[in-house]
Amino acid sequence: MAQKSVRIRDVAKEAGVSTATVSRALSNPELLTETTRETVFAAIRSTGYRVNKAARNLRTRQAGAVLVLVPNLGNPFFSQILAGMSECFGDSDTSVLIADTKDQAPSGKLIVDYFLDSQVDGMICLDGGLSGHELQQFSDKGLSNRIVFACEWVHDTCLPSVRSDNARGARLAVQHLFELGHRKIAHITGPQENVLTHARREGMLAERARLELPVKDEWIIRGDFSLESGRRAAEKIIAMEDRPTAVFCASDQVAFGLMSTLSANGLRVPEDISVVGFDDIELSEYYVPALTTIRQDRHALGRKAATLLMECIEPEPVVSAERVAPVVVDVELVVRQSAAPPAN
């Protein structure tokens, strides 16, 4: 026989309080005394009562869900960011929907429809590839105040964002190689139009200029954050007459592709060429040699982005629509075995 569903009045009877007090414990627990709260929640546990989310969301006119746009779910870099978001939203009982934008550019109209159809209350975008036209659709619908960018961002917008200090990370990488004795330092970039590519490249160039390091055009090699672009870059470096003694890669994935190809062609890391990455994904510590890299606090990126979005979508938002200053998460150099003083 099917068990009779527990209703809020059953909880009230068990706790010896009114149904209004139970509702208040679920929606505004800070309004109750600690003793009353504990009594109500003990009754909820003992009766097995479950909140009717659909009914609650209908009353509050909220969907109880957020959308996260990820440019490539297959990239392990995003795992800790999503974990940070999940931890934060889990505390608020908010569901998280994830969309991979890798194989097709996200359609502004489709994403706007998530809001208009009441499927989500807000969106975190890890993809800086949204066009101005797509973002304008959100603005036209009055939805811009429900969007937060994380990790990546779009230039010339006032949308709130959470990002790492990418330029400082690049400076730390170049400075570390310089202190080891390297003067011929190459750089493998990310995708040409990507905001992270520009930030890390500018940081790298600024530090090179400060240290008065030699510059050669062929030492700046275009990549795309992938293993494959690291392989292609390695082939170019191997063919150079004036070969760099160290390489700063715009991502760990690029560094892995670079190191494996150098090794396959008889060049040792770090004895022949030192390598520094960017991100500190989990594999960096276990790769052979273990990768010296710039650590992004990806868990903090996700947690801070989720917190910021919740502040945006509250009934009385904490974050102003005019907010323009990004939340910047610090980075750090993690020294391992892939970088050493040059052989000569």
Side-chain angles (χ1 to χ4, degrees):
M1 181 180 295
Q3 184 176 2
K4 181 181 177 182
S5 61
V6 179
R7 299 184 179 184
I8 197 168
R9 63 173 177 240
D10 299 317
V11 176
K13 182 178 180 181
E14 176 74 13
V17 299
S18 67
T19 55
T21 298
V22 176
S23 295
R24 194 170 295 116
L26 294 169
S27 58
N28 299 104
E30 69 279 0
L31 298 179
L32 302 177
T33 66
E34 183 177 353
T35 301
T36 302
R37 281 199 307 270
E38 290 178 353
T39 300
V40 171
F41 286 120
I44 289 173
R45 290 191 294 271
S46 66
T47 59
Y49 176 74
R50 296 180 63 84
V51 177
N52 186 330
K53 293 184 179 180
R56 181 193 62 187
N57 295 341
L58 184 62
R59 289 194 302 272
T60 61
R61 297 187 178 183
Q62 289 188 321
V66 297
L67 173 67
V68 180
L69 297 184
V70 183
N72 181 5
L73 276 172
N75 188 335
F77 169 77
F78 296 108
S79 61
Q80 283 297 312
I81 296 180
L82 294 174
M85 291 180 185
S86 179
E87 177 184 287
C88 187
F89 286 126
D91 292 339
S92 68
D93 206 24
T94 299
S95 300
V96 180
L97 309 178
I98 299 174
D100 192 333
T101 63
K102 177 184 178 182
D103 294 325
Q104 61 182 44
S107 162
K109 184 176 186 302
L110 176 61
I111 297 168
V112 166
D113 285 345
Y114 274 97
F115 290 94
L116 300 181
D117 296 342
S118 298
Q119 296 180 47
V120 296
D121 300 311
M123 180 177 79
I124 296 178
C125 186
L126 279 72
D127 188 344
L130 288 183
S131 69
H133 171 71
E134 290 163 339
L135 290 174
Q136 186 61 45
Q137 293 188 55
F138 287 96
S139 179
D140 292 343
K141 301 293 184 180
L143 300 171
S144 293
N145 60 338
R146 303 191 193 181
I147 303 173
V148 169
F149 277 92
C151 188
E152 297 188 16
W153 64 95
V154 175
H155 284 303
D156 302 322
T157 67
C158 65
L159 298 175
S161 68
V162 179
R163 64 187 72 166
S164 293
D165 195 338
N166 292 278
R168 179 172 182 270
R171 293 195 298 270
L172 287 174
V174 174
Q175 182 181 1
H176 177 64
L177 291 170
F178 178 84
E179 291 174 350
L180 288 173
H182 294 279
R183 300 297 181 265
K184 299 163 64 174
I185 301 172
H187 176 53
I188 306 173
T189 75
Q192 186 174 10
E193 301 303 323
N194 187 276
V195 290
L196 303 179
T197 297
H198 288 282
R200 293 171 192 176
R201 185 176 185 273
E202 290 307 308
M204 177 272 302
L205 291 174
E207 189 64 13
R208 286 169 68 129
R210 187 184 74 83
L211 298 172
E212 299 181 345
L213 292 173
V215 178
K216 296 189 69 171
D217 289 343
E218 67 175 346
W219 290 349
I220 309 298
I221 305 169
R222 184 181 299 178
D224 60 13
F225 295 148
S226 70
L227 290 164
E228 173 62 20
S229 68
R231 182 192 67 77
R232 293 193 303 266
E235 292 174 347
K236 291 180 180 179
I237 290 172
I238 291 167
M240 291 179 185
E241 291 185 8
D242 187 11
R243 192 178 290 165
T245 63
V247 184
F248 164 46
C249 302
S251 79
D252 289 349
Q253 293 274 80
V254 171
F256 298 147
L258 172 74
M259 290 193 293
S260 65
T261 305
L262 291 175
S263 177
N265 285 273
L267 290 175
R268 299 166 301 164
V269 177
E271 292 85 353
D272 299 316
I273 298 182
S274 287
V275 178
V276 175
F278 200 114
D279 290 335
D280 195 31
I281 62 176
E282 284 74 8
L283 182 59
S284 301
E285 184 178 359
Y286 301 99
Y287 201 85
V288 179
L291 181 64
T292 293
T293 187
I294 301 300
R295 174 179 293 160
Q296 297 194 71
D297 191 341
R298 293 175 289 140
H299 198 275
L301 281 170
R303 190 175 64 251
K304 288 177 181 291
T307 300
L308 190 55
L309 181 61
M310 287 194 293
E311 292 175 352
C312 290
I313 63 179
E314 285 181 352
E316 296 182 3
V318 176
V319 177
S320 168
E322 285 75 32
R323 181 190 179 107
V324 293
V327 176
V328 179
V329 179
D330 201 8
V331 296
E332 65 177 308
L333 173 71
V334 180
V335 177
R336 297 193 179 106
Q337 287 77 52
S338 67
N344 50 32

